[in-house]
Amino acid sequence: MINRFARTDETVRIDLREFDGSDDWVEVRAALSWGDMLAVRKASMPRATAAPGTPEMEVQIDVGARSLELLARAIVRWSFRAAEGDPAPLPVSRDLITKLDARLADWLAERVDSLYGEGSRAGA
């Protein structure tokens, strides 16, 4: 039988050894659902706004919103701890994802994007 639904419970581990030589890791969903992909695409849509009383439109694109949405929907676990010696990793949250080192977040977004293939880049 062919499964027609995304198996969002299956994960893939991304080792950070290639990034910084550490033993840290991040687990991401092996696949995103269509609803997740729609949210990622929506985050990358240009938004047009007009200042009150002016006819001119301004188009804004939030280039980080797509990457944040992608990581927030993909990451399920990580080995990151608040301090050395902490007994358990920090829980994954959108807030903590926004606090990641920028280079690490960009690197992870690239890895996650390539994991999901062309479908995750459509409309970006």
Side-chain angles (χ1 to χ4, degrees), residues 24 26 36-37 40 55 64 72 92 97 102 109 117 120-121:
D24 282 325
V26 173
D36 288 329
M37 292 310 301
V40 170
V92 174
I97 291 170
S120 67
R121 287 184 285 275

Side-chain angles (χ1 to χ4, degrees), residues 17 30 34 44-45 47-48 54 61 63 70-72 76 83 88 91 93 99 110 113-114 120-121 124:
R17 192 166 292 120
W34 185 60
S44 65
M45 298 290 289
R47 290 166 182 80
T54 65
I61 299 174
V63 295
L70 179 65
L71 292 180
V76 293
S93 70
K99 294 176 182 174
E110 285 178 21
D113 224 3
S114 66
S120 67
R121 287 184 285 275

Side-chain angles (χ1 to χ4, degrees), residues 14-26 79-80 104 107:
I14 299 173
D15 290 315
L16 271 63
R17 192 166 292 120
E18 180 186 335
F19 175 72
D20 62 8
S22 72
D23 290 330
D24 282 325
W25 50 265
V26 173
S79 63
F80 307 154
L104 173 58
W107 185 83

Side-chain angles (χ1 to χ4, degrees), residues 38-96:
L38 288 175
V40 170
R41 290 175 186 156
K42 181 179 179 183
S44 65
M45 298 290 289
R47 290 166 182 80
T49 58
T54 65
E56 295 166 13
M57 297 292 286
E58 181 178 293
V59 177
Q60 297 176 341
I61 299 174
D62 186 345
V63 295
R66 181 190 178 282
S67 293
L68 174 58
E69 192 64 34
L70 179 65
L71 292 180
R73 289 180 177 272
I75 298 173
V76 293
R77 278 180 285 290
W78 54 28
S79 63
F80 307 154
R81 298 175 193 285
E84 195 170 323
D86 280 357
L90 292 164
V92 174
S93 70
R94 182 178 292 267
D95 182 54
L96 286 178

